Amino acid sequence: MADFTVLVLKIAFLVILWLFIILIAAVVSSDMSGRRQRKSKDSPAVPRPPKPRKNEPWVLAIDSGVHAGDRLQLVPEVHIGRSQACELVLEDDYVSQMHALLRHNDNGGWLIQDMGSTNGTFVNQIKIDQPVQVGVSDIIRIGSVQMRLET
């Protein structure tokens, strides 16, 4: 009877080990493929264009990395990452496929949100774990790339 119990425990251990390996492979695969997170039913499929306001930042200035010195005209929702599906593609080993989302909110400001990246998104050298309001004086770091909003 003891031999049978040991055999059952060995098989159970192997099953759990293989499930763990499959789970790890699925997580790595989803990060490498750049699969987007599903939008909730409440969010509109196409973002409505915001009303232009005077002295509102609509330019993203990139201060470091391959694109240093570039100034990008912003759209209401900017996905940032290594995936070609992103509006801003950063070729950086420390950037996830879908790393962060920069979006314009209704009160005229900008929110940045980490999309579950491996290395995190930083605003003024503080790692964020929820959407954070950013303005022209804030420094955003994704991977080794620093950027900021300009008017």
Side-chain angles (χ1 to χ4, degrees):
M1 185 67 176
D3 291 337
F4 179 71
T5 305
V6 171
L7 178 65
V8 169
L9 288 174
K10 285 181 180 180
I11 291 172
F13 177 74
L14 286 174
V15 168
I16 292 171
L17 181 64
W18 276 107
L19 288 175
F20 181 69
I21 290 171
I22 291 170
L23 177 68
I24 289 173
V27 169
V28 169
S29 174
S30 72
D31 189 46
M32 296 300 285
S33 68
R35 194 170 39 180
R36 286 186 184 225
Q37 294 179 353
R38 292 185 177 185
K39 293 185 179 183
S40 67
K41 292 180 182 178
D42 298 335
S43 66
V46 177
R48 54 179 191 229
K51 298 174 185 174
R53 295 180 182 156
K54 194 173 184 177
N55 294 330
E56 188 176 301
W58 279 94
V59 174
L60 186 65
I62 300 179
D63 297 328
S64 66
V66 176
H67 301 288
D70 287 355
R71 304 288 185 261
L72 306 170
Q73 188 68 36
L74 292 173
V75 294
E77 191 171 274
V78 179
H79 289 89
I80 304 170
R82 282 193 336 236
S83 172
Q84 295 301 314
C86 292
E87 287 80 14
L88 175 55
V89 178
L90 298 176
E91 299 296 331
D92 186 316
D93 291 338
Y94 298 103
V95 175
S96 295
Q97 293 291 320
M98 287 289 179
H99 195 102
L101 173 66
L102 180 65
R103 71 176 188 270
H104 191 262
N105 61 16
D106 293 334
N107 67 1
W110 289 90
L111 292 173
I112 189 149
Q113 174 181 359
D114 187 82
M115 302 297 286
S117 67
T118 304
N119 294 311
T121 301
F122 295 81
V123 175
N124 299 324
Q125 299 181 359
I126 298 171
K127 188 174 183 178
I128 63 170
D129 57 1
Q130 58 187 358
V132 172
Q133 181 99 19
V134 290
V136 292
S137 63
D138 296 316
I139 296 174
I140 301 165
R141 183 170 59 83
I142 296 175
S144 61
V145 179
Q146 285 192 9
M147 56 195 84
R148 59 191 159 76
L149 294 171
E150 289 184 345
T151 55

